[in-house]
Amino acid sequence: MPAKPAVTALTAQGGPAPEVVYVRSHRIACDGVGGALGHPRVWLEMGGAGFVECPYCDRRFEQAPEAGADAAPEALVPGVYEGSHGH
């Protein structure tokens, strides 16, 4: 009898693992990649969890360690807006 294939994050979801974006703010807006390929802009709050996932595109936003040491500048991540002001 052949062995069962291993279930990985890739196969369990039927596609690649979601993108992880490290951010400085606990309040994030995501619109996918914007334009025709994106989705409606939604504002997401991390709360005490330290992360939040977009319900449209499954991007995972995680609080950067040490208050932003590894965070990408918000202007360099397409479709991501930090804080209450956006870009």
Side-chain angles (χ1 to χ4, degrees), residues 28-32 39-44 54 57 59 61 79-81:
I28 304 298
C30 180
D31 63 10
H39 57 70
R41 184 178 296 177
V42 291
W43 286 94
L44 309 167
C54 177
C57 65
R59 273 181 168 173
F61 300 95
V80 177
Y81 309 89

Side-chain angles (χ1 to χ4, degrees), residues 26-78:
H26 283 271
R27 181 172 163 80
I28 304 298
C30 180
D31 63 10
V33 294
L37 299 177
H39 57 70
R41 184 178 296 177
V42 291
W43 286 94
L44 309 167
E45 290 279 345
M46 281 189 204
F51 73 91
V52 67
E53 294 178 354
C54 177
Y56 286 97
C57 65
D58 292 330
R59 273 181 168 173
R60 181 181 172 103
F61 300 95
E62 294 185 8
Q63 185 70 35
E66 299 181 18
D70 294 333
E74 63 186 80
L76 298 181
V77 181

Side-chain angles (χ1 to χ4, degrees), residues 12-29:
Q13 297 176 359
E19 176 185 10
V20 176
V21 179
Y22 294 97
V23 294
R24 297 175 299 248
S25 176
H26 283 271
R27 181 172 163 80
I28 304 298

